Amino acid sequence: IIGFYTNGTVYPIPEPDQTYKVRMTGGHLIEYYNNRLYAAFDDKIFHSDAVYLNQMDERFGFIPMPGYITLLKAVLDGIYVGTGNDVWYLGGQGGEDPPSFSYMKVSDGLVLPGSGVKIEGEDIGKGLLGSSIMWASEDGVWAGLPQGQVKNVTKGYYALPAPAEIASGIGFYRDSPISQYVYIWRYRQGYGGGIGSVTIPTPIVSGTFS
């Protein structure tokens, strides 16, 4: 549910009184990009009108995607969307508004739940300006830069569990005492358990997984 909070109370967004305009819908993921609010609900992305974040057009205010959405994060000139078994980049040279978005497939890996994190480009490499993102996939940790440029930054070092094994998870980035992307997950019942070590490649991190 999309609403607003003021003076200790939560209020729903009022219903618009314009033709074809409805209250902005919520979703399991939300993002703000180029003066619009975006909300992922199942396999669709709903978006608000430009500037007016509390309302959307019921005729054109959504973008269908080919599978359940597991990533919705914006960078400088577009939005990364993890859906089904793919990651897509929306925007770029096609334009920065939904009607003119271009759609570019940038990865075949399913994004692990809750792993998407927005960071600054300088956290990935010197001279990379603007917002960037990171996410976890079964084949490693990925970085998503502006213009749809992606890179598997851990390929060959280690692999994460299959998406079907994970019940929920959360990713975050910290820059002290060292710069690290961290993903923590909870296994589904019947998966995981035991003590293991992961090489990243150095140092070795050991822990109990349950």
Side-chain angles (χ1 to χ4, degrees):
I1 298 172
I2 302 294
F4 63 94
Y5 176 88
T6 184
N7 296 326
T9 304
V10 177
Y11 300 90
I13 293 174
E15 195 70 47
D17 58 2
Q18 297 173 268
T19 304
Y20 301 122
K21 300 298 181 181
V22 295
R23 181 187 300 151
M24 177 60 190
T25 188
H28 60 276
L29 298 171
I30 61 172
E31 180 63 300
Y32 175 81
Y33 172 67
N34 198 30
N35 295 318
R36 294 180 190 265
L37 186 66
Y38 292 80
F41 186 89
D42 198 0
D43 61 350
K44 295 182 179 63
I45 302 173
F46 293 90
H47 59 81
S48 72
D49 290 346
V51 181
Y52 299 100
L53 307 185
N54 62 336
Q55 68 182 41
M56 55 180 282
D57 192 304
E58 64 179 349
R59 301 165 297 171
F60 314 116
F62 64 94
I63 303 170
M65 299 300 295
Y68 185 82
I69 297 167
T70 53
L71 174 71
L72 184 68
K73 291 289 183 183
V75 293
L76 182 65
D77 58 355
I79 305 174
Y80 283 94
V81 180
T83 172
N85 293 317
D86 309 309
V87 179
W88 295 81
Y89 186 68
L90 279 56
Q93 296 181 357
E96 297 184 352
D97 283 311
S100 56
F101 275 167
S102 60
Y103 295 76
M104 180 170 64
K105 183 177 175 180
V106 294
S107 170
D108 293 324
L110 177 66
V111 177
L112 300 183
S115 66
V117 174
K118 186 176 291 188
I119 61 175
E120 290 302 314
E122 286 279 355
D123 294 328
I124 298 177
K126 189 174 182 180
L128 298 175
L129 303 179
S131 296
S132 299
I133 68 168
M134 298 187 78
W135 72 84
S137 186
E138 186 178 4
D139 58 354
V141 177
W142 289 73
L145 309 176
Q147 300 180 0
Q149 301 180 59
V150 300
K151 181 179 181 180
N152 187 332
V153 297
T154 63
K155 190 172 184 179
Y157 294 144
Y158 67 92
L160 291 160
E165 300 178 15
I166 298 177
S168 61
I170 185 170
F172 62 91
Y173 181 84
R174 68 173 190 167
D175 55 12
S176 178
I178 60 176
S179 297
Q180 287 182 312
Y181 169 84
V182 180
Y183 180 60
I184 302 171
W185 68 87
R186 180 170 61 88
Y187 278 110
R188 293 187 186 277
Q189 187 173 359
Y191 292 97
I195 298 175
S197 63
V198 175
T199 304
I200 53 178
T202 57
I204 294 179
V205 179
S206 297
T208 300
F209 307 100
S210 60

